[in-house]
Each structure stands twice: as C-alpha cells, then as structure tokens.
C-alpha cells in the first residue's frame, strides 16, 4: 500500500524490519478507507463557505507578523501588502496552492514498512501533542519529563493501531526549553521507526530537525522524500507569526511537509457559528499554504483544522460537543475540493481523568474524524484536559478505539464467505451457529478483539477484582513498556546522531525560552 | 412537527400541558434529521442482501411455533407450510408488507405535545429495556424493584433528551411475574405523559396493556391512533414463538404498533459475518412483519434489528465493536428500501460500570444509530452489562449524549447569522471574539451545554472534589427525582385505571412465570 522506497542507509536491515512488522498480526502502516465520507453540507453550502473565505482574504486579509521576507514573497505573487496586513485578490491563494501542492504524498519512515501515505482515502493516526503534564493512575498528574516523552514514543511504536510517532507527545519540562527539541527528535529517531514530526518553536530548531533527519535518512534523500511532517499553527484570528512562518519556511526549503493549522476555539479565536469557523479556518489555512508553496512550490502541505467550542459561561474550552463535529465534516469536504490532504480531529476531551466524560467526548471527535475522511489525525491517543495532560491509561484506551476504526473503514465483506448464505442454508431454525463450519472457519478474524474491554460475566469481573477500564489499561501500558525492544539503528548513524546533539548542545547556553 | 390530535379525555388540560412542555427550553418531541444517512453499501450490495433474504425465506423458511392460526394465515397468503416451518415464494413477504404497512406513523402520547412521529427523517430516543438489575453509585448492583421502575419512568419524563417512556425500563423483580406488567403500564401512564411500550410476555398481558390504554385514551381512539408501541423479538435463528406471535396479534388487532426485531448475537444466533447477519435479520423481520400485516393490514410495524458480536473466546456478548455498526448501517438502508420505520442501536455496552469502556462502547453504537437514520432508538439511556443492568448514572450520561445528537442532526446553519461574515469583517486580526456583537447575540444558543461534563480548570476541578463523571451524574439524577412533579391525570381516568388494575390482580393468583 505504500510507495516503494529505498533508504540510503538501511540496506538489508529494512527488509528484516519489514518482515518483523508484518509478523505483528494486526499492524498495518495506515488505514485506507473504502467508504465514502459523510457529508453535512451540499455543493451550495460548501461553495458559499469558499466564497466567504475569499471575501475574508480580500477584505480583511491576514497578518504575517515579523517576517518581511514573507511579505515580499506574497506581494510579488500578487497580494496587496499594507504594513503586515496582506490582502489577497479572490482566488489567488487557491490558485497558488492548486498549482503546486501535492494532492497526497508519502511520509517516509526509517523503516520503509512504516511509511505512510497522507491524503486521498488514507487515514494515519498519531498520538496527542503538546501537553506539559502527564497522568497515570499511580502518580496522578505531574509535569512531563523526557522519560515520559520516551515512554510515549515507545508505547506508540509498540501500538499496532497508531501509525505515526507524532511530535511533542508531551513536553519534557525537565530539559531546557531551547535544547529539548534535540532530545525529542532523537527519541523519535532512535526509539521508534515510525514517521515523526519536527520542532516548530523556532526556525533554528526546525533546522536541527532537518539536520538530524539528514543524518538518519541521508542528506540527499530529503530533497525528494518527505521524512518530516510538522505542525504549523496560526495565531487565530487571521495572524501568522514569525516563529511559525520561520519554521514553515525551513521545512519547505528542505522539501519537508507541514500542516498549516488554524487553532480555533470558536467564540474566542473565531465567531461562535460553524459556518463562520469554517470560512475563517479556510482563509487562514489558504494563506499559510500559499506562503509555503511560494517558498518552495511542491513542498507537501496539509490543510489543518483544530476547532472546538468554549463554555460561554467560563470561557473554558469544551470538547466532544456537536458543533465542532459539524465543522470537522465541512472542513474535510473543503480540503477535498481544494485537493490537499486534511488534518483534524483526534480523541479530544476536556475531562481531567480517563472516565466516561473523557471517552464520550473523545468518541464524539474520533468517529467524525474517521467518517469525515481525515488523512492525518494528531491527538488520536492520550489527550486529556483540553490537551494540558497526556494520559498513560487514556493512551491505551484511545489506541484501542483506533484499532476498531481500522476494521470499520473496511466496510462490509460481500464475498460469498461474507454473505454466509450456505451457513444459513445448512443450519436448522432455532439452532445456534457456535459450532458450524462457517463460524469455525471465521473464528479468528470475525470480530475486533479489544484488549481493554471486559466482556466477562459480572461474577467473573468481580472475581478479577472489579477493575474499571483505566485499571486494566494501567496494566497494559506497563506490560508494553516492559516488553519494548528498540528497533535497530545503524551504529554509524547512531554515533553521528549523538555527536550532532552533543555538539549542538555545547554550542549555546541553556535557556528557558 | 407532530400530527394534530385531540384526546378524548384530555380537554383543555392538554393545551396547558403542551405549554408547560414548551417552557422546558430544550425539550423537543423528537429529532428530525436534516442530514442524509451515512451509507456503507451501494445499490448492488443492498440488492444482494435482499436477494439472500428471499433465498432464506424460500429455501429454509421460518418456524412459527405453537400458533396454528398463524400457520393458517400464512398458508392462505401463499406460503408453503410444512409442520411449523413456513417457506415463502420470493418477494411474497415484501409485497405483503409494502401493500399495507405505513411508511411512518404517529405514536400518540396522552400529552399531545409529546406525540412522536416514527419513520422518515425522525429519530425517537427511549430508555433501555429489560434489565433484571439496577446499579447506582450508592447501592451498587441489585435486583430492580417497582420503585426503581418508577424512578426510571420519572427520570425519562424529566429528561428533555428522551422522547419516549420506553417499556420494561427495568424488571420490577419484587412483583409477581404474571402481574407486574399492570404496575409497569400504570407507571408509564400515570408517572409520565410521554408515549410508551406495552407488555409482550403473554397475549393476555398485551390485552391488559390495550385495555389500560383504552381507559386513558378512550376505547375508540385506539382504533385509528397508535398509542402503544411494543417490542416483538424473534427467537433467532429463524423462529417466531407463540408468546411473541400472540402479543403481536393482540396489538395488531387493536391497530397498535409493534417492532418486529430479530435479536442476534452474531456467531450464536446468526453467522459471524455482517452480510450474513443482515440477510438473516431481514428474512426474519420480513416474515414477522408479513404476519402482522395479515392479521390486520395497516397496523403499524417497525423493522427492528438488535445485532451485536460475541467474544469468540468466551461466547460472551460484546458491544461497541465495529462489526455491529456496519450491520446497523446496512439494516437502516434496507428498511428505507422496504419503506418501513427502523428500530436499532442505542447506548449499548458490555461494561459493568459507567466507566470509559461503557462510554466508548455506547458512543460506538449511538453515533451510528443517529448517522444511519434509526427512527426508534430503544436502549438510548441507562444500558450496562449487555442489558443485564440499568444504571442510574449511566442513564444521565447517555441522555446527555442524546441531547448532543439533537443538535448535530440540525446540521450547519447557513443563514447570514450562521455565516458570521460581518463578525469576521468587523474584527481585527489577532483580536478575540469574546465580546463582539455577534458572539453576544448568539451567546445563549451557540454551543450544546452539557450538565455533566466538567470543563473547568484542573484547579477548580480539584476544589470541587475531583469528581468523575458518574459522581456528578449521581447528584443529577437525585436532583431530578427530588424535583419531579407528576403530569396531571384526569381524576376519573385515574380512578378507572386503579379499579381495572385491582380487579385484574384479584382475578387470578400470583405466579412467578
């Protein structure tokens, strides 16, 4: 299902790694949906939102802050620049994006069997991103450390249902702000062989990410292969700031992929209505993607949308409500019309703990994510408390749901075996099917088997200690970490990576900004 | 949205009741979906399943057990009867059903403002049905009593998100088996004014339900108004038994509605594959619906499907897995093609407690329920442990989700206010929307407000006692019961109902079968 690729340094080891990956029964590199996406708006509604986005770009414009080079680039492309405010003639951003942005692309992993195709009918799950805190049943909530970070990289590597190592799986708050990206990228490259995300907090940190990837994949390899996918967030409403523009530029120049994402809590960063959020999101992302295409035509870009609601009483973000689900469906359709991959959704929740609120809210985001046809799903596992906390047990529970989605998207098997007509013909009314030949033949693969769900009798459940879902998940992540084995890394690469990091760390003082 | 109806005995009180119902801000009598249903199979696949159902009806047939009258009726209609096995020429059942079964119908409530339209683009939520046990945080799991039964009728009445009082909301195990239906129907008629379900465990109990409804609605009223909707389950595979046939006949003769439901745990009562489950479900329900139409052409029937998976290790039922969701989508499409209302789904789970497993599994059923376009949703709130237990806290959590569905099905507001273009135009890049005129104007209705979700800061949540979702739900159901006020009932009706029940109870001895 993935493009054939050859890695510079991986030689025959790649084949062995691929074989081992396939030995992991349920592991597939990404989902390929067979079902048409669910649509909540017709042609007329979608066209109206596109029209409104163009109106926003034309009349209000976007601010590109602290980046004169970006302003120059946009002016030369035909935009009107007034100070840092950039206004775009109708259709300009769309035509720039459509002229060169790929409809879909492969993000290559250092293990070719783990490469993912982003776009089209494909869906890639990555863990949650960006939380300063972590939580587990034993220690409760506390600041994340590099050990937690590595744990989540390892758990993601070990999960057959997550396809991508993600990025800032939690903030390693024990490391200096200006150097922690080196340790984070190192963990993704060393502790996993799934594709990963790069640093975006400063252009120099993006450059470090690119340089480290060049060590692992080979310098020239990056020139025509995307191996890094990074998250570029707008400062909504209608602002792109210097650090994000700088990181986006760095990645684009290296021909690496970026996700151009307006981050919107409706009511705060955008109007409270779905159609308003969609028009503004489209305007902001079009501007950002056009910028990237002007920096380097053809650099992969993903249209991102992070949109949720707020409590109109407290202003606190809320998740799993119906309005953001509607936004998600509309944005997915708009990305398809534009012809670029789409990132949104995940397992979002406001709950502090992995309880019923967390699960209901997460499901109310993850199911639309899959039915809408999202291509890259950040925050697919672990998210708690509006993203402030990465939860160990929540991670396990969410990954299980991702596994179920992998079955759902395959749709209904209409083969003769799937129709099972002979099995029904051969059976007698009133007699159960438990021992029939058809049942026995399909026993192993008939139904998704959750490792976390307890389906036993009440009496058995009591005997097993009356554990709730988080208690069972607690045992599972610990077992996964105990059994973790690092994917092999070429000793020369390993050494070069260590040397790069040591040199960089020694070259400037620690700082907490 | 509901048909205009006048109740024999309700007079001017009905108008007052309706006014009070409307005063409950979010209360609507049922959902009307504006979005096209999600489809998982195309024309070819659906036609193939219909063909297979006909093959099953023709070659294997159905058993109609212990009911010679039913066999006679079916033989006269053109079926081939061999002992109790009835085989149908291809298309016969379909043509019988399509000749007289209504595409949709109104189930009238004693408060006309609560009447529900079943079929078409409408969705009606009813609480869970049939559990012998109840559970709450204080008392844990125990056998249900008539007090629990009345509590759930009251909670359902008080919930703005449940449209229907349901039936056996829990088994009142403290009452004799052969008389408890009188108390159950009484509770639905007295403690609520929402539409309700009748007894089906014996034809005489169905008749009691009809007679009690005649007291409340007027004897003649039932002749051309459905006021009872009852659940007729097949003994899958391919069997209809005497008590269910008898109850179905009793209701049909009184022109009351029935839900003809194959109850299938795939792997036990049907093959393990989705397409097999669908063909068998369609065959069984077609046979049952044809029987009802032969008893009384035009009596409202609903195509029901209860389908889940089992653990292939233990044989225990499993819920919230992807395979039953696929079955649900297919069956909804088949019901639309047939032209009858559809019942399925709910908030099903295997979990013993209202934890993350319960919520994830329930969401994995309820979301397909709504996206598939189910018309009548039994088990929408309260279900735990594969239906063995009705949970107080689960009920509150589920009802909240039903409330969210009510917003989702309205789709995206594309009015000028919904587009919010002026709000974006008038705003400055980088400035939040919290205080803008558009936000203030839409403040009250912008987002679904959950009573259960905690969206506060972590610190606030700690200060509030670190409650999880069930702990908060516990406080809510207790408050709802404390504040419950019975809907008014005409004193003459009340007296006649009590007299009927007393007379019936005195006319035969208690029995536990």
């Amino acid at each position: 299902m993935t493009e054939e690729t050859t890695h510079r340094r991986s030689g025959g080891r790649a084949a062995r790694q691929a074989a081992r990956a396939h030995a992991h029964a349920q592991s597939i590199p990404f989902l390929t949906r067979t079902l048409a996406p669910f649509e909540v708006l017709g042609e007329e509604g979608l066209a109206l939102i596109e029209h409104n986005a163009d109106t926003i770009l034309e009349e209000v414009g976007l601010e590109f802050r602290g980046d004169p080079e970006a302003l120059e680039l946009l002016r030369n492309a035909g935009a009107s620049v007034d100070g840092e405010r950039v206004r775009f003639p109708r259709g300009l951003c769309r035509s720039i994006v459509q002229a060169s942005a790929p409809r879909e692309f492969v993000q290559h992993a250092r293990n070719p069997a783990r490469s993912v195709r982003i776009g089209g009918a494909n869906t890639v799950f990555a863990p949650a991103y960006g939380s300063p805190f972590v939580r587990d049943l034993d220690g409760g909530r506390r600041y994340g450390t590099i050990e937690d970070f590595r744990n989540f990289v390892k758990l993601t590597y070990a999960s057959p249902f997550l396809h991508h190592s993600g990025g800032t799986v939690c903030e390693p708050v024990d490391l200096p702000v200006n150097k922690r990206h080196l340790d984070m990228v190192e963990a993704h490259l060393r502790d996993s062989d799934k594709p990963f995300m790069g640093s975006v907090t400063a252009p120099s940190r993006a450059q470090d990410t690119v340089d480290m990837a060049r060590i692992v994949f080979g310098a020239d390899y990056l020139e025509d292969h995307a191996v890094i996918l990074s998250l570029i967030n707008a400062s909504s409403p209608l602002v792109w700031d210097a650090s994000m523009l700088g990181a986006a530029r760095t990645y684009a120049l290296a021909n690496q992929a970026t996700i151009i994402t307006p981050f919107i809590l409706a009511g705060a960063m955008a109007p409270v209505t779905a159609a308003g959020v969609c028009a503004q999101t489209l305007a902001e992302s079009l501007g950002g993607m056009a910028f990237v295409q002007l920096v380097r035509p053809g650099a992969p870009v993903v249209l991102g949308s992070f949109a949720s609601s707020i409590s109109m009483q407290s202003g606190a973000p809320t998740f799993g409500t119906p309005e953001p689900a509607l936004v998600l469906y509309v944005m997915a359709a708009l990305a398809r019309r534009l012809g670029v991959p789409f990132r949104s959704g995940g397992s979002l929740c406001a709950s502090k703990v992995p309880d019923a609120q967390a699960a209901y809210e997460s499901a109310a985001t993850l199911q639309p994510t899959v039915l809408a046809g999202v291509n890259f799903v950040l925050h697919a596992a672990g998210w708690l408390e509006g993203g402030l906390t990465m939860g160990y047990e929540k991670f396990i529970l969410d990954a299980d749901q991702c596994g179920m989605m992998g079955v759902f998207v395959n749709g209904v098997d209409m083969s003769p075996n799937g129709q099972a007509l002979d099995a029904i013909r051969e059976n007698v009314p009133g007699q159960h099917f438990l021992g029939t030949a058809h049942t026995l033949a399909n026993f192993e693969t008939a139904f998704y088997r959750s490792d976390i769900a307890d389906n036993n009798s009440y009496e058995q459940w009591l005997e097993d200690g009356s554990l709730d879902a988080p208690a069972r998940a607690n045992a599972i992540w610990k077992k996964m970490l105990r059994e973790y084995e690092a994917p092999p890394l070429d000793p020369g690469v390993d050494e070069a990576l260590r040397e790069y990091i040591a040199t960089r760390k020694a070259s400037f003082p620690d700082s907490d900004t």
Side-chain angles (χ1 to χ4, degrees), chain A:
Chain A
M1 302 212 295
T2 62
E3 203 177 74
E4 285 296 319
T5 60
T6 318
H7 282 199
R8 291 234 151 187
R9 290 163 183 269
S10 53
R13 204 184 59 247
R16 290 194 301 278
Q17 287 173 356
R20 199 174 50 245
H22 289 141
H24 194 147
Q26 299 168 292
S27 189
I28 49 169
F30 52 87
L31 309 189
T32 303
R33 290 168 277 110
T34 62
L35 306 170
F38 184 65
E39 303 275 0
V40 302
L41 267 190
E43 160 67 27
E44 194 188 349
L46 295 170
L48 187 50
I49 289 174
E50 288 169 342
H51 181 86
N52 290 348
D54 260 344
T55 302
I56 295 167
L57 288 167
E58 183 184 34
E59 295 184 18
V60 187
L62 305 175
E63 284 194 8
F64 287 76
R65 291 188 178 163
D67 192 329
E69 217 181 302
L71 297 173
E72 187 61 23
L73 206 57
L74 293 162
R75 184 185 290 113
N76 291 341
S80 139
V81 178
D82 176 12
E84 293 186 318
R85 185 82 69 94
V86 182
R87 293 183 176 82
F88 298 86
R90 301 194 82 84
L92 178 64
C93 289
R94 174 169 294 262
S95 68
I96 292 169
V97 171
Q98 290 182 328
S100 56
R103 295 188 75 88
E104 50 182 276
F105 63 93
V106 174
Q107 185 188 356
H108 295 271
R110 72 176 174 93
N111 175 350
R114 312 275 201 193
S115 294
V116 294
R117 180 169 282 276
I118 295 178
N122 308 304
T123 294
V124 172
F125 289 128
Y129 184 109
S131 28
F133 299 102
V134 298
R135 167 181 280 276
D136 64 39
L137 267 188
D138 311 287
R141 182 195 198 247
R142 54 198 159 74
Y143 276 107
T145 65
I146 189 67
E147 190 188 342
D148 292 307
F149 188 99
R150 291 189 186 119
N151 283 344
F152 281 110
V153 170
K154 292 171 182 176
L155 290 171
T156 301
Y157 170 70
S159 170
F161 307 127
L162 296 172
H163 314 116
H164 197 284
S165 197
T168 309
V169 289
C170 67
E171 279 288 346
V173 173
D174 53 338
L175 299 182
V177 169
N178 65 337
K179 293 182 180 173
R180 62 174 70 146
H181 66 286
L182 296 163
D183 300 83
M184 293 195 272
V185 172
E186 182 187 24
H188 284 301
L189 286 170
R190 180 173 282 116
D191 299 338
S192 181
D193 62 6
K194 293 185 177 179
F196 75 105
M197 302 174 78
S199 178
V200 294
T201 49
S204 64
R205 298 172 197 161
Q207 191 59 53
D208 281 331
T209 308
V210 170
D211 291 344
M212 290 169 76
R214 284 182 173 143
I215 291 171
V216 173
F217 288 86
D220 300 342
Y221 188 80
L222 269 63
E223 199 39 39
D224 48 8
H225 296 85
V227 306
I228 310 166
L229 173 67
S230 300
L231 182 63
I232 305 296
N233 278 352
S235 299
S236 306
L238 306 179
V239 175
W240 287 102
D241 74 22
S243 62
M244 285 290 167
L245 291 170
R249 179 188 288 106
T250 302
Y251 286 119
L253 288 173
N255 208 21
Q256 299 304 296
T258 47
I259 309 170
I260 306 299
T261 307
F263 179 99
I264 289 180
L265 301 173
M269 295 85 147
V272 290
T273 53
V277 169
C278 292
Q280 186 183 314
T281 298
L282 183 58
E284 292 177 2
S285 60
L286 275 171
M289 291 188 290
F291 164 72
V292 170
Q293 292 308 303
L294 293 172
V295 169
R296 177 155 174 172
V301 283
V302 176
L303 191 163
S305 167
F306 182 101
S308 204
S309 44
I310 59 172
S311 159
M312 298 306 288
Q313 286 77 46
S314 66
T318 55
F319 295 94
T321 51
E323 298 84 0
L326 292 168
V327 169
L328 198 162
Y329 283 113
V330 172
M331 290 310 306
L334 292 169
R336 279 191 292 278
R337 288 162 66 96
L338 184 61
V340 293
F342 179 56
R343 170 255 154 160
S344 193
S347 298
L348 310 182
C349 66
S351 186
K352 320 301 176 280
V353 289
D355 64 350
Q357 178 186 343
Y360 262 131
E361 290 176 339
S362 297
T365 311
L366 189 65
Q367 292 200 37
T369 299
V370 174
L371 294 182
V374 174
N375 300 119
F376 183 73
V377 186
L378 202 53
H379 314 311
W383 172 287
L384 280 173
E385 208 190 311
L388 283 177
T389 296
M390 181 72 167
Y392 280 84
E393 289 79 20
K394 178 70 165 28
F395 178 94
I396 298 297
L397 290 160
D398 291 344
D400 186 43
Q401 294 297 309
C402 292
M404 298 201 200
M405 295 298 166
V407 174
F408 181 79
V409 299
N410 292 332
V412 178
D413 172 11
M414 290 301 294
S415 70
N417 183 65
Q419 292 178 59
L421 194 53
D422 287 341
I424 298 171
R425 270 200 188 101
E426 289 157 16
N427 197 51
V428 177
Q431 182 183 296
H432 70 65
F433 285 76
L434 290 168
T436 64
H438 183 268
T439 302
L440 295 174
N442 291 278
F443 181 95
E444 290 291 343
T445 55
F447 304 119
Y448 179 83
R449 289 185 197 184
S450 168
D451 287 338
I452 294 121
D454 183 298
N455 306 307
N456 291 329
S457 69
Y458 180 71
E459 291 69 24
Q460 183 65 50
W461 176 78
L462 282 181
E463 207 177 302
D464 293 345
S466 308
L467 301 181
D468 64 6
R472 294 191 298 272
N474 182 269
I476 292 174
W477 70 257
K478 287 176 179 170
K479 179 168 186 284
M480 285 169 76
L481 286 183
R482 275 198 311 275
E483 296 177 355
Y484 167 81
E485 279 184 61
L489 184 65
D490 181 277
V493 170
D494 196 343
E495 180 54 33
L497 208 51
R498 285 183 205 280
E499 201 178 294
Y500 179 88
I501 294 166
T503 306
R504 284 290 289 153
K505 282 189 174 175
S507 69
F508 53 98
D510 292 359
S511 155
D512 268 346
T513 54

